Amino acid sequence: MSGELNHLGFIVDGNRRWAKRRGLPTLAGHERGLDRVEMVINELKDTEVNFASFFLFSTENWDRSPEEINYLMNLVETKFQKLVKKCQNENIKILILGRPDPVKPKIWAKMMDAEAQTKDNDGLTVCICFNYGGHWEIADAATKAITAGEKELTPETFSKYLYHPEVPDCDLIVRTSGEQRISGFQLWRAAYSEFMFLDKCFPDMEPTDCTLIIDEFHKRNRRFGK
């Protein structure tokens, strides 16, 4: 049996392709993608899912053009305030998984403030993976463990040093756009995750897709090595 879908992760992919296929400016796809993130949160908040992670910006994405990066940062800054208000009103908690550098300090400060404002909410937890890389999360955890004086590590003790260690392992990771790789998303937490790859781009996500994803998870037989 699949068990409960406690942590559902999304690799948000295909924003630029969605825009190009419609003859729109590439950057328009990112705005539509962020709108769809809000839609997915709406669909999940009253389901069995307790944690929803969204891979929005990776440590490798800094290699994109300055124009695209600036647009993304400004978009995140404006859209994020709307998301925070929504989460405050609907008992949703926000967690940020990622590295502060080289994000603009004012943007990172707003993200940390969002965590503080929603820390007492006990509904759905939304994990925003921003300036996130799976290798970096593990490297940063190792650095913290060394600094803490750890002499011998087990998976259990090591996991205490991950970004927000209270976030559990992923039960299902979904990637949109037809690509079939995880690009460093939640490497540590993906050890026994199920995977689902959707051909549609993330901006094409609809409420019915959320139902399809949950139903598909419950068809899986998770054996955990047994």
Side-chain angles (χ1 to χ4, degrees):
M1 299 293 292
S2 63
E4 184 181 78
L5 179 49
N6 186 37
H7 184 182
L8 173 57
F10 287 91
I11 301 174
V12 176
D13 194 23
N15 293 343
R16 295 186 294 180
R17 273 169 280 178
W18 178 88
K20 288 179 180 178
R21 289 169 186 170
R22 286 160 179 75
L24 299 172
T26 301
L27 303 179
H30 293 305
E31 183 167 6
R32 168 73 176 184
L34 285 177
D35 287 340
R36 293 291 85 186
V37 167
E38 185 174 335
M39 179 278 294
V40 171
I41 291 171
N42 274 333
E43 294 303 310
L44 296 180
K45 66 184 180 182
D46 295 319
T47 68
E48 68 195 271
V49 177
N50 294 311
F51 294 83
S53 296
F54 297 90
F55 198 5
L56 298 186
F57 190 84
S58 78
T59 49
E60 288 74 35
N61 287 154
W62 294 104
D63 292 333
R64 294 184 177 182
S65 71
E67 178 191 15
E68 184 173 359
I69 289 172
N70 288 334
Y71 180 87
L72 277 168
M73 293 299 147
N74 291 332
L75 184 62
V76 166
E77 188 173 7
T78 55
K79 290 281 189 179
F80 201 66
Q81 297 309 303
K82 179 185 175 185
L83 179 62
V84 172
K85 289 180 181 179
K86 171 186 175 61
C87 291
Q88 286 177 313
N89 292 333
E90 299 181 14
N91 194 35
I92 296 169
K93 180 183 290 187
I94 295 175
L95 298 178
I96 307 299
L97 279 67
R99 317 186 85 230
D101 294 325
V103 180
K104 290 180 180 179
K106 69 173 184 176
I107 294 177
W108 194 258
K110 287 183 178 180
M111 291 186 165
M112 294 300 99
D113 187 53
E115 283 194 354
Q117 290 183 51
T118 62
K119 66 182 178 64
D120 295 325
N121 294 348
D122 58 6
L124 176 69
T125 296
V126 173
C127 304
I128 303 295
C129 297
F130 189 81
N131 195 30
Y132 174 89
H135 285 156
W136 271 115
E137 180 174 22
I138 293 169
D140 286 343
T143 299
K144 291 176 188 175
I146 292 168
T147 302
E150 296 280 4
K151 301 298 182 185
E152 184 174 340
L153 288 169
T154 65
E156 290 71 26
T157 55
F158 184 82
S159 65
K160 294 188 304 181
Y161 298 99
L162 296 172
Y163 305 148
H164 283 292
E166 70 272 24
V167 177
D169 288 350
C170 292
D171 297 299
L172 174 64
I173 293 174
V174 177
R175 181 169 188 151
T176 53
S177 85
E179 302 289 350
Q180 297 189 17
R181 58 181 181 275
I182 62 172
S183 299
F185 178 65
Q186 300 275 17
L187 288 181
W188 183 271
R189 297 181 180 89
Y192 279 99
S193 176
E194 297 291 317
F195 293 94
M196 187 173 178
F197 301 102
L198 301 181
D199 286 334
K200 62 171 53 182
C201 294
F202 197 83
D204 281 325
M205 288 283 287
E206 297 293 343
T208 52
D209 293 309
C210 297
T211 302
L212 180 150
I213 287 166
I214 293 172
D215 289 346
E216 172 61 25
F217 174 78
H218 286 296
K219 295 175 183 176
R220 305 285 179 96
N221 182 15
R222 304 181 76 201
R223 295 188 291 272
F224 298 99
K226 296 178 182 178

